[in-house]
Amino acid sequence: MEVKVNKKVKSTTEEDLHSLSKEELIAKIKQLEAHNVQLKCIVQKSLQSREEVTHGKATKKHRPFDFSKCFKRHILLRFYYLGWDYQGFAAQEDSIETIEHHLFAALKKVCLIESRETSNYNRCGRTDKGVSAFHQVISLDVRSKFRPEEQLLEDNLETELDYCSMLNRVLPDDIRCLAWMPMVNPAYSARFDCRSRTYRYFFPRGDLNIAAMEESTRYLVGVHDFRNLCKMDVGNGVVNFVRSIDAISIKPCQVDGSRDASYDMLYVELRGKAFLWHQVRCIMAVLLLVGQGKEEPSVVKELLDVEQNPCKPQYSMASDVPLNLYECLFNEKSIQSADGEEQQVTDGESDLREWIYNEENLRRTISELQGLWTKQSVKATMVREMLKTLQEKYAGDRPICDQPALLIEGVRSKEYCPLLQRQRCESLENRIAHYAKKRRIEVSIKSNDINADGSDEPVSQHSVTDSTNNDAYVDHDVTRIEN
């Protein structure tokens, strides 16, 4: 018997590429592009089949819904979701486990929209993997029972399609539509007309020095360059890290019944218009280090001084599980015109109306949340009773209060190295140069972007864009080149 072993093909080296002619390079690029398209098709088919198996439904052929015979109206929809088991809010090519995927699957299933592309869709925030939201809002055009000129009549609002109940019947249990708002202005955008976003990060008290953490939070209020307190997303065109935190505070949430204060729950609440990629989780990581006594409260002030500390120290972020997009507030008047261009806000009648809640849908949603609370609380109480029994047997000199320690990701070293003494990440300028060289971004320098020393090195005033936690606003001095 003769056996032939197929050796693994080695990847093409840079030297091999230099030896190829122009025609050979073009042929190779075309081959790679075709292979990429083929792989995307395979992934999409795999995801589709997996979704059918997950929902246990065979593919059925339905008569297409005729949207040409329907009226449309522009609305805001308010959702909550528990994002712990999802890959983030925004839809992704290689995953169906996103909030947006399930939202649009539900919207199309109940025939409220024909497609995402034709729905005039905008989202208020774009939360990351594992992050939850109590007040996520989207704006879009949906099917209506009434003509446009009759849609805002009081009686018609009461008898309009029950959007939330329709969606909740087909959404996963941990995603729920809470309310909808009829819009006067068809250009009103959940993204561009959101004037503030509030996040809450929940954590146990443990042995944290809350007073020191509160002292640290005072440095964060106002306009700062947060490049050392976020994950820089230069590859996606984000090169301006100046943001404003309007308010930040630490508040008690739940008191432990056994009078052991280390098991009390608190939360940090941050309010601002726009947040950077992983900004809240990086801030929380530093605040927890301050609370543990490993850093002085002034370390936050040092990290915000990008002239003295232009490169971010390497540290692990706080866990994504306790983070919640808790509230969003909106402009009374839209800054968007009908053609999508930004316009000056003028006084006049508000574009906003009251949120419409359906009592039966609200009752059902509260009941479902109570059921979830019961399951999680029973588990937490069981673990708490086990801890009480073990702590009665423990005779050590110091009480064990490691509850908050596990909220910081990564490996804990035996000897703690202060933040400002750690190895640093690349500077912003080096990252911009790196991605510009790879042709991922193109940087145009404005005349007023010349540095104080007269050089025209790229500086951080090129772009204002939201990276992940929301999509608040975009400036086009940095252009991302799509692959």
Side-chain angles (χ1 to χ4, degrees):
M1 181 182 294
E2 186 177 349
V3 178
K4 182 180 179 182
V5 178
N6 292 321
K7 294 183 179 179
K8 185 179 178 181
V9 180
K10 293 190 293 185
S11 58
T12 308
T13 65
E14 187 175 345
E15 186 179 347
D16 294 333
L17 290 173
H18 278 296
S19 66
L20 297 176
S21 66
K22 183 179 178 180
E23 289 74 17
E24 289 173 326
L25 285 171
I26 292 172
K28 191 167 188 65
I29 290 170
K30 285 184 175 181
Q31 182 185 19
L32 289 171
E33 287 178 342
H35 186 57
N36 190 32
V37 171
Q38 186 181 19
L39 287 175
K40 283 184 177 180
C41 291
I42 293 171
V43 169
Q44 288 298 324
K45 286 180 180 178
S46 174
L47 292 174
Q48 188 176 357
S49 61
R50 195 174 78 188
E51 185 177 21
E52 290 172 359
V53 170
T54 302
H55 295 293
K57 298 173 184 177
T59 306
K60 297 180 181 178
K61 290 187 177 180
H62 295 281
R63 187 172 62 183
F65 190 87
D66 190 357
F67 283 91
S68 64
K69 296 180 180 179
C70 300
F71 302 113
K72 287 185 178 182
R73 73 181 308 155
H74 192 58
I75 67 170
L76 296 183
L77 276 175
R78 179 186 168 187
F79 293 88
Y80 85 72
Y81 53 83
L82 302 172
W84 307 319
D85 297 324
Y86 291 94
Q87 297 297 310
F89 182 81
Q92 300 172 23
E93 286 185 349
D94 58 349
S95 176
I96 60 172
E97 295 307 321
T98 65
I99 306 298
E100 257 186 4
H101 172 86
H102 291 288
L103 282 183
F104 278 100
L107 285 163
K108 288 189 281 188
K109 188 166 187 176
V110 297
C111 300
L112 288 182
I113 65 168
E114 188 171 9
S115 68
R116 174 172 178 158
E117 293 73 23
T118 60
S119 64
N120 188 22
Y121 168 76
N122 272 299
R123 60 195 169 212
C124 172
R126 185 170 51 182
T127 52
D128 291 326
K129 177 183 176 182
V131 179
S132 302
F134 177 61
H135 198 133
Q136 175 67 272
V137 177
I138 64 174
S139 57
L140 76 171
D141 297 337
V142 293
R143 177 165 58 94
S144 172
K145 292 166 60 176
F146 304 103
R147 298 177 183 277
E149 61 271 17
E150 301 172 348
Q151 288 174 355
L152 294 175
L153 297 176
E154 195 66 33
D155 290 343
N156 291 347
L157 288 176
E158 293 179 3
T159 56
E160 180 59 283
L161 294 171
D162 187 359
Y163 297 118
C164 292
S165 296
M166 292 170 69
L167 289 168
N168 288 343
R169 281 196 290 269
V170 295
L171 281 169
D173 293 341
D174 43 13
I175 305 174
R176 281 291 176 265
C177 182
L178 297 175
W180 70 279
M181 183 187 295
M183 299 308 301
V184 180
N185 183 355
Y188 201 94
S189 169
R191 173 185 175 186
F192 295 105
D193 290 312
C194 182
R195 60 184 171 87
S196 80
R197 296 162 173 87
T198 299
Y199 284 86
R200 287 184 179 180
Y201 192 97
F202 296 83
F203 64 97
R205 182 186 294 272
D207 60 351
L208 295 174
N209 185 340
I210 304 300
M213 294 174 68
E214 288 177 327
E215 183 181 344
S216 292
T217 62
R218 289 194 277 272
Y219 295 114
L220 294 163
V221 178
V223 179
H224 302 285
D225 189 318
F226 287 95
R227 70 180 68 180
N228 291 328
L229 290 167
C230 73
K231 188 170 181 179
M232 288 199 285
D233 197 20
V234 177
N236 283 324
V238 185
V239 293
N240 187 325
F241 298 92
V242 176
R243 295 293 185 273
S244 173
I245 292 182
D246 301 328
I248 180 170
S249 57
I250 301 176
K251 299 178 182 179
C253 179
Q254 188 174 325
V255 178
D256 185 73
S258 64
R259 291 181 295 180
D260 184 346
S262 68
Y263 288 92
D264 291 351
M265 295 298 296
L266 303 91
Y267 62 83
V268 173
E269 184 174 274
L270 307 93
R271 188 179 78 245
K273 182 176 182 181
F275 290 84
L276 294 155
W277 190 18
H278 295 320
Q279 182 180 349
V280 177
R281 291 173 62 190
C282 287
I283 287 173
M284 280 307 308
V286 176
L287 290 182
L288 289 171
L289 291 174
V290 171
Q292 291 169 355
K294 295 178 178 179
E295 297 287 345
E296 293 296 321
S298 59
V299 73
V300 173
K301 183 180 179 182
E302 298 287 339
L303 291 172
L304 292 172
D305 187 350
V306 295
E307 291 187 2
Q308 293 297 319
N309 294 288
C311 299
K312 176 186 175 183
Q314 293 183 359
Y315 60 89
S316 298
M317 297 187 296
S319 169
D320 50 15
V321 172
L323 184 55
N324 194 321
L325 174 59
Y326 203 78
E327 185 179 36
C328 300
L329 299 178
F330 293 89
N331 297 324
E332 290 291 328
K333 296 288 291 182
S334 176
I335 63 170
Q336 302 295 306
S337 63
D339 57 2
E341 295 294 325
E342 188 171 319
Q343 63 178 1
Q344 188 69 31
V345 176
T346 57
D347 294 334
E349 185 181 0
S350 173
D351 287 340
L352 301 179
R353 293 290 184 268
E354 293 294 324
W355 287 104
I356 297 176
Y357 292 87
N358 177 280
E359 284 297 320
E360 178 58 27
N361 180 64
L362 197 58
R363 186 202 66 77
R364 193 183 304 113
T365 301
I366 291 172
S367 177
E368 290 171 348
L369 267 180
Q370 285 178 338
L372 179 63
W373 175 87
T374 300
K375 289 180 181 179
Q376 302 299 329
S377 292
V378 166
K379 291 178 181 178
T381 303
M382 187 184 296
V383 173
R384 181 72 183 92
E385 289 300 310
M386 293 163 67
L387 280 166
K388 284 168 64 176
T389 304
L390 289 175
Q391 285 172 329
E392 290 171 0
K393 306 291 183 184
Y394 178 70
D397 296 335
R398 296 179 58 189
I400 302 172
C401 299
D402 282 344
Q403 299 98 323
L406 296 178
L407 291 180
I408 298 180
E409 297 179 341
V411 179
R412 283 184 287 174
S413 58
K414 291 183 179 179
E415 292 187 10
Y416 181 77
C417 178
L419 282 177
L420 299 179
Q421 296 177 22
R422 297 187 187 184
Q423 188 173 349
R424 302 298 178 107
C425 302
E426 273 191 306
S427 68
L428 173 60
E429 289 72 22
N430 284 347
R431 289 186 183 223
I432 292 173
H434 170 75
Y435 284 108
K437 186 177 181 180
K438 292 181 69 175
R439 295 191 54 78
R440 285 281 301 277
I441 60 174
E442 290 181 353
V443 182
S444 59
I445 310 298
K446 293 180 179 178
S447 59
N448 59 355
D449 284 341
I450 303 301
N451 292 337
D453 61 359
S455 67
D456 60 354
E457 288 265 327
V459 291
S460 61
Q461 283 78 33
H462 295 299
S463 167
V464 180
T465 177
D466 248 327
S467 166
T468 297
N469 284 339
N470 60 61
D471 310 287
Y473 43 91
V474 177
D475 186 283
H476 297 289
D477 296 323
V478 172
T479 305
R480 180 187 175 194
I481 300 175
E482 298 291 346
N483 291 327

